[in-house]
Amino acid sequence: IGMGWWQFSADTLAGSRFVISQMAEVNASLFALQNSTAEHPGARAWLDAHGPAYRARLAADPVTARLVPAALGERHHWVADFVTPTPSPGSAASDDLEAGLAEIRATSPERARANLMISLRAPLPATLDDRTDLAIRMADLLEWVWEETVRPYWPRRRRVLEADVVARTRQLTEGGWAAALDTLRPGMRWLGDSRLQINAHDYPPRDLSGAQLYFVPVTPATGWVSWRAHEGEYAIVYPCAGALAAAPDPVPEALGRLLGEARAGVLVRLATPLSTTQLVALTGQGLGSVGRHLRVLL
């Protein structure tokens, strides 16, 4: 079975970092809207709330409606490169959306069409051929996805992503890189000899010696890789742990009256084992408050 793998140097792994990216979260949300896939009831509720408006937007714009499946490589598992810019965490880690959208809009028409032919593995359909606004249309759609379907939920999603980074960092300290990378996303595993299998597709290997590597969690159950090879930046986008991404069960009214909403919220979250730091990230409560709730509950 062919597979794509990356070769690392010790310095590349030592200098790698986890990054929270609004741009990646928006890309992942577009994939979920387009595929109408939900891995837990919370995701299904989100799709039910926003799927109709998304489909209506595409129905009113036939060019973009044809552009999206071509760009997302639904049949060939290759997303057009210009659609998923590599996160740029030079400033605040979550403030890369504006830079990402600007990068997409700056894509030349020739590059956009070339990328789309790779994701399609076929000539462009007449609807898209010779158009000069494809990258701008994609950026406009992603901006709509952010404003209408992600931004209202971003505070909670960010807490989920932060909790996942905590969990991955702990896994890294306890089991090393092999354990952390093997569970990052389906199809990925550490091969030894400084090699990481990225997926099970037959793509040429890449040498990342001396490169900057980012690990980027997203809440929808999807993932991809991206890079700016000329700048030596590579990103592995992966779905955060399902137990973290799933919306918690609502606090029963009687339990909230008995324990208080904040303490009952901690208890409901503990239907799945979580660390104190993860509870802080997921509930938005302070470390001292969560610690007091846990001591009382214990």
Side-chain angles (χ1 to χ4, degrees), residues 181-195:
L181 295 175
D182 281 353
T183 59
L184 209 58
R185 65 189 186 97
M188 179 176 289
R189 65 190 180 95
W190 186 251
L191 300 173
D193 296 326
S194 299
R195 294 177 303 152

Side-chain angles (χ1 to χ4, degrees), residues 184-220:
L184 209 58
R185 65 189 186 97
M188 179 176 289
R189 65 190 180 95
W190 186 251
L191 300 173
D193 296 326
S194 299
R195 294 177 303 152
L196 176 66
Q197 176 181 317
I198 297 299
N199 52 48
H201 303 301
D202 193 10
Y203 298 137
R206 285 181 169 266
D207 187 352
L208 269 65
S209 299
Q212 176 65 63
L213 178 62
Y214 306 125
F215 297 102
V216 186
V218 291
T219 59

Side-chain angles (χ1 to χ4, degrees), residues 43-67:
R44 172 49 57 190
W46 176 80
L47 279 173
D48 290 344
H50 299 288
Y54 173 75
R55 291 188 292 273
R57 190 187 190 284
L58 292 189
D61 184 353
V63 175
T64 303
R66 187 64 190 89
L67 170 62

Side-chain angles (χ1 to χ4, degrees), residues 32 36 46 79 96 98 114 122 167 187 199 243 258:
S36 192
W46 176 80
V79 179
D96 67 334
E98 184 176 346
N199 52 48
L258 177 67

Side-chain angles (χ1 to χ4, degrees), residues 17-115:
R17 54 188 289 196
F18 287 91
V19 172
I20 293 173
S21 165
Q22 289 178 343
M23 186 74 247
E25 186 71 10
V26 171
N27 279 131
S29 299
L30 173 63
F31 300 164
L33 286 165
Q34 179 67 14
N35 298 326
S36 192
T37 53
E39 66 281 0
H40 54 74
R44 172 49 57 190
W46 176 80
L47 279 173
D48 290 344
H50 299 288
Y54 173 75
R55 291 188 292 273
R57 190 187 190 284
L58 292 189
D61 184 353
V63 175
T64 303
R66 187 64 190 89
L67 170 62
V68 174
L72 302 192
E74 292 176 343
R75 290 179 296 169
H76 302 294
H77 310 290
W78 185 277
V79 179
D81 288 351
F82 76 92
V83 176
T84 54
T86 301
S88 299
S91 56
S94 67
D95 293 339
D96 67 334
L97 179 66
E98 184 176 346
L101 292 175
E103 183 176 333
I104 294 173
R105 289 192 171 101
T107 303
S108 69
E110 295 77 17
R111 179 178 172 234
R113 290 195 295 267
N115 286 176

Side-chain angles (χ1 to χ4, degrees), residues 229-241:
H230 60 288
E231 297 179 17
E233 294 182 321
Y234 292 77
I236 297 173
V237 180
Y238 68 92
C240 64

